[in-house]
Amino acid sequence: MEEVDVEPTTTPIPGFDSNQKHLGFVWGPGDILVYETIYKASGGSAGGCPFVHEVRKDEDIYSPILRKLFNESHHIFVGLQRIREDLPSKNKKPQFVSISKNYRSVIRACMEELQQVLYHNDFLGTTLLSLELIWNLCEVLFIDAAPAGSLVLHLLDWVRLHKADVDEKAREVLASESPAEHQAYWDVVISYVLQGRMDEARQVLVKQATLQPAARAMFKLLDNLLMKMPIFNPGETQTLTEFDVKWRHWREEVDRCLQDQSFASNPHLEDICKILVGDEDVLLEHKELLSTWYHFLVTRLLFSHPTVKPTELHYYAQSSMHMFLDTRSVPEPLDSILLAAFEFDIHQVIKDCSIALNNWWFVGHLTDLLDHCKLLQSHNLHFGSNLREFLLLEYASGLFTHHSLWQLAVDYFDHCPEFGRVYLELQIERVPLDTERKALKVIRICEQRQMTEQVRSICKIMAKKALRNNRLGSALSWSIRAKDAAFATLISERFLQDYCAKGTFSDLDLIDNLGPAMLLSDRLTFLGKYREFHRLYGEKRFSDAAKLLLSLMTAKIAPRSFWMTLLTDALPLLEQKEVIFSADQTHELMFCLEELTSGKSVPNPDRPMQLLSPGLATVHTALRASLARG
């Protein structure tokens, strides 16, 4: 668990002796609430901390099914951002509706997957169902913006999609030995009528008609009414006014049948007829089949106000909720959200969803889509960011606390023009760099966005981690990438110490291919050049090796602590049969030897050997012999 940056505040726990037990809590990295129970003796200092708990603010990101939701919706989000701004709005509407349906299909796929899990989460399933219900309604009212006539048809589809239990019940009834005598038979027929599914209702009614030959005329009459019910078709040439006239004629015909008591001998058929004229009392008698006030609303509109305008919806929605719900019951959060949608109060929908839902996925993506539809342009927040950006920033910040979802968050920050860059810079530094592969991913993201400071910081962290694990090659590589001269110098020293101890270099490939990177620090330059000296010597290019060795000492590139090693390296060259070092070069080496041993600036080839250490005495002898040969 990561440590918090400040000391937790201490708060007495209600019901406990405040002198004995205290509770400390503070928000830690990644929105994790860390709190601890501290046992404190009276008059003494706080004791140890036997219990440390983590309470995560957003548990949803740890659900495998919701991770699928986050991953799939990320692709849809990125695609939405690519829709060209210069396209006319009328050309973009079909794209926006398509994108909205894509979001809903992802929600539904997660719901179906959840149902296949043996021990599925009922709360999660209910939440996903609510998400799709709200999103679908927002799609109908705001994104597709269905006009009068089409509006009721869209709302019917909405209700049918979220009230599919009638089909399951119908299958059960029709699969029985005698469907017309099944106890749920009339529930199925009436449910189909309540959803405006007249063809299905007629097919099931036939089962009953065949059982009652004497009532065949009555069943035929109702079947005819169901068949003739006008349904507005926006694809036809028929105008809304023409449809309204046709619908009123049909409604008058149904009214006459009721007044003539054509169905008085069969209460079920009479109830269906009363439903067709929109009798609200009869509708409310079937509360169990409707199950919700918004299903009641749509059925009420279908049979009483099929050409309702969007601006009139709020009146019918409010009255339907009032009529359907018990006056003593308090509306659920879902009821309030749906009512706000029917009132076309987009901002209230978003606000209520933010409070009611336990993650920012829904409000972030819905608000982004509504913003692209130019429906939120007037709403800015008092602290400078607009509503869309604020919600996306919150959602993306939550993703950054997850070990794999953090990569999705980057794209969300990229599409928040005001504060996205700042958030990304802060959050990217919190990504745990567990492996070099992960570090390289983070660096690639930073480099693509010219975040040079973050790149340097990550490279420094990785260099220190590699050095702690004694992986000198990796540490040097990271320090070069960070352009950290001080750390590169330190690691170069370690390489040289290892060489002195073992007589060989590790990570030869890296040192051999330093190239311009060796100029980062003097010590790194020396390391690269010293390795080049060994390579030249190994290739028997003795003259080039001698020049390089001498230049390392005379140009003061080599650290003085390494001069003894360099002079020792010169011995094999001095002892070659052919003369490698010229007289001038030999004098230069004598000068270095003198400076190393006495600090004098003038070489003294006649200095007594007994004053030198055995190693230096050997070098001194070799140098004098070389001068004698020269």
Side-chain angles (χ1 to χ4, degrees):
M1 186 179 66
E2 296 179 83
E3 294 180 355
V4 294
D5 295 329
V6 294
E7 283 296 317
T9 54
T10 301
T11 306
I13 305 173
F16 287 83
D17 181 356
S18 60
N19 290 323
Q20 295 296 322
K21 297 181 181 180
H22 287 69
L23 182 71
F25 60 91
V26 73
W27 285 111
D31 285 336
I32 298 175
L33 181 63
V34 180
Y35 67 94
E36 54 186 292
T37 306
I38 304 173
Y39 289 80
K40 187 175 180 181
S42 181
S45 59
C49 177
F51 301 110
V52 178
H53 308 268
E54 290 182 56
V55 179
R56 299 188 183 276
K57 187 178 180 182
D58 188 355
E59 280 290 348
D60 282 351
I61 62 172
Y62 297 94
S63 162
I65 288 174
L66 284 188
R67 285 206 297 276
K68 178 180 179 179
L69 174 70
F70 300 150
N71 275 298
E72 295 292 330
S73 57
H74 162 261
H75 298 301
I76 302 170
F77 170 84
V78 172
L80 174 58
Q81 312 313 307
R82 292 174 181 158
I83 291 180
R84 287 169 47 195
E85 282 293 326
D86 57 346
L87 286 175
S89 296
K90 63 178 182 179
N91 293 354
K92 286 192 269 190
K93 181 179 172 180
Q95 289 179 279
F96 292 146
V97 173
S98 175
I99 286 169
S100 179
K101 289 179 178 177
N102 287 342
Y103 275 127
R104 287 200 293 114
S105 68
V106 172
I107 300 174
R108 186 154 286 273
C110 291
M111 288 166 54
E112 290 171 359
E113 188 172 326
L114 188 64
Q115 289 170 357
Q116 294 170 5
V117 178
L118 186 59
Y119 301 103
H120 68 270
N121 186 327
D122 289 330
F123 174 75
L124 183 55
T126 304
T127 301
L128 288 171
L129 191 64
S130 299
L131 293 185
E132 201 209 355
L133 184 72
I134 300 165
W135 192 299
N136 196 349
L137 182 60
C138 290
E139 180 185 302
V140 170
L141 300 179
F142 307 138
I143 301 165
D144 200 4
S150 298
L151 179 57
V152 169
L153 298 180
H154 281 75
L155 291 175
L156 272 175
D157 289 338
W158 172 62
V159 164
R160 291 167 184 168
L161 187 62
H162 299 283
K163 191 76 172 67
D165 57 337
V166 61
D167 292 306
E168 188 177 334
K169 195 180 290 184
R171 282 192 292 271
E172 181 187 327
V173 168
L174 295 174
S176 64
E177 289 184 9
S178 179
E181 294 176 343
H182 195 284
Q183 60 178 2
Y185 174 83
W186 286 109
D187 284 349
V188 169
V189 175
I190 292 172
S191 293
Y192 276 142
V193 173
L194 291 172
Q195 290 189 10
R197 298 167 66 176
M198 302 312 175
D199 289 341
E200 289 98 324
R202 290 172 61 209
Q203 288 171 11
V204 180
L205 268 174
V206 169
K207 304 288 184 182
Q208 186 70 218
T210 55
L211 279 184
Q212 301 183 38
R216 186 167 296 170
M218 188 167 47
F219 277 95
K220 181 66 177 174
L221 177 60
L222 182 61
D223 181 76
N224 192 46
L225 292 176
L226 293 173
M227 179 182 65
K228 288 167 61 178
M229 180 181 176
I231 299 295
F232 180 73
N233 188 341
E236 292 180 354
T237 55
Q238 183 186 45
T239 65
L240 194 61
T241 305
E242 289 169 342
F243 164 76
D244 191 53
V245 171
K246 189 176 179 181
W247 182 82
R248 290 182 187 281
H249 284 314
W250 171 81
R251 170 76 177 268
E252 288 169 4
E253 186 180 347
V254 179
D255 262 330
R256 279 196 302 273
C257 291
L258 278 176
Q259 290 166 13
D260 295 344
Q261 295 190 333
S262 301
F263 306 105
S265 62
N266 190 316
H268 294 299
L269 298 185
E270 191 169 42
D271 271 0
I272 293 172
C273 197
K274 287 179 179 178
I275 289 171
L276 295 181
V277 295
D279 188 316
E280 290 171 354
D281 291 333
V282 174
L283 287 175
L284 290 171
E285 285 174 11
H286 294 92
K287 263 189 178 185
E288 286 188 11
L289 298 180
L290 290 166
S291 73
T292 63
W293 67 268
Y294 42 90
H295 188 181
F296 168 60
L297 161 68
V298 176
T299 301
R300 183 183 169 203
L301 291 174
L302 174 65
F303 295 116
S304 301
H305 312 281
T307 58
V308 65
K309 298 175 183 176
T311 52
E312 300 167 340
L313 264 184
H314 69 95
Y315 163 73
Y316 295 111
Q318 289 169 354
S319 60
S320 294
M321 190 168 83
H322 179 74
M323 292 164 66
F324 194 88
L325 297 179
D326 191 317
T327 53
R328 292 167 296 177
S329 63
V330 179
E332 296 289 330
L334 178 61
D335 298 323
S336 302
I337 293 167
L338 296 177
L339 183 61
F342 282 121
E343 293 171 347
F344 282 82
D345 191 342
I346 297 177
H347 298 114
Q348 193 62 44
V349 170
I350 295 168
K351 180 181 177 182
D352 289 349
C353 286
S354 300
I355 295 169
L357 302 174
N358 59 345
N359 71 74
W360 296 101
W361 176 88
F362 181 83
V363 287
H365 289 85
L366 179 62
T367 304
D368 173 58
L369 181 53
L370 294 174
D371 188 70
H372 276 83
C373 296
K374 308 296 183 189
L375 295 171
L376 295 172
Q377 298 305 302
S378 63
H379 196 78
N380 287 319
L381 305 179
H382 67 276
F383 46 79
S385 179
N386 63 36
L387 183 60
R388 169 196 173 273
E389 179 158 323
F390 169 76
L391 294 172
L392 288 178
L393 290 172
E394 288 296 315
Y395 171 64
S397 297
L399 292 180
F400 248 99
T401 66
H402 191 270
H403 65 87
S404 64
L405 295 176
W406 66 271
Q407 295 175 79
L408 305 181
V410 175
D411 284 323
Y412 290 93
F413 286 140
D414 280 346
H415 292 98
C416 292
E418 196 157 355
F419 295 113
R421 169 86 178 200
V422 177
Y423 269 67
L424 179 57
E425 288 175 351
L426 292 172
Q427 294 284 356
I428 204 82
E429 293 177 354
R430 295 179 175 181
V431 177
L433 304 175
D434 308 319
T435 63
E436 289 200 353
R437 183 182 176 187
K438 190 171 183 180
L440 289 170
K441 277 185 183 178
V442 178
I443 286 174
R444 186 163 58 251
I445 288 168
C446 293
E447 287 177 340
Q448 288 168 350
R449 291 155 184 81
Q450 289 80 50
M451 293 164 57
T452 53
E453 283 304 310
Q454 283 69 27
V455 171
R456 290 189 65 186
S457 174
I458 293 163
C459 290
K460 285 181 178 181
I461 290 169
M462 295 306 294
K464 290 175 181 176
K465 188 180 290 189
L467 186 61
R468 281 197 302 270
N469 295 325
N470 205 34
R471 296 170 58 233
L472 296 183
S474 178
L476 181 59
S477 179
W478 284 113
S479 64
I480 290 171
R481 193 160 188 170
K483 295 181 173 60
D484 189 339
F487 207 68
T489 298
L490 174 66
I491 298 167
S492 300
E493 287 278 11
R494 285 284 299 273
F495 264 107
L496 294 171
Q497 289 169 13
D498 267 19
Y499 172 77
C500 291
K502 301 174 184 175
T504 57
F505 281 111
S506 57
D507 298 285
L508 284 179
D509 284 346
L510 174 64
I511 301 173
D512 283 343
N513 294 286
L514 284 173
M518 73 169 65
L519 301 176
L520 182 61
S521 79
D522 289 346
R523 200 55 43 87
L524 185 56
T525 303
F526 171 70
L527 176 64
K529 291 295 183 183
Y530 184 56
R531 166 57 193 155
E532 187 180 341
F533 161 76
H534 278 276
R535 185 173 55 78
L536 292 170
Y537 185 86
E539 294 171 359
K540 300 189 183 303
R541 295 165 60 186
F542 298 135
S543 180
D544 292 336
K547 287 178 185 177
L548 180 55
L549 181 70
L550 187 60
S551 69
L552 290 176
M553 298 184 71
T554 56
K556 308 298 183 187
I557 296 175
R560 285 181 63 88
S561 59
F562 214 75
W563 279 20
M564 180 61 202
T565 303
L566 292 176
L567 288 168
T568 306
D569 286 335
L571 276 175
L573 295 172
L574 291 167
E575 294 169 351
Q576 293 290 323
K577 290 180 180 179
E578 60 180 300
V579 177
I580 303 298
F581 288 101
S582 66
D584 288 342
Q585 288 176 328
T586 306
H587 274 100
E588 290 282 355
L589 288 175
M590 291 287 286
F591 174 87
C592 294
L593 175 63
E594 186 68 24
E595 190 174 338
L596 180 63
T597 55
S598 65
K600 292 180 181 179
S601 58
V602 180
N604 182 8
D606 299 320
R607 185 177 181 193
M609 289 178 60
Q610 61 268 27
L611 299 178
L612 300 175
S613 66
L616 288 175
T618 305
V619 174
H620 187 266
T621 301
L623 287 171
R624 291 186 67 179
S626 179
L627 283 172
R629 283 197 294 169

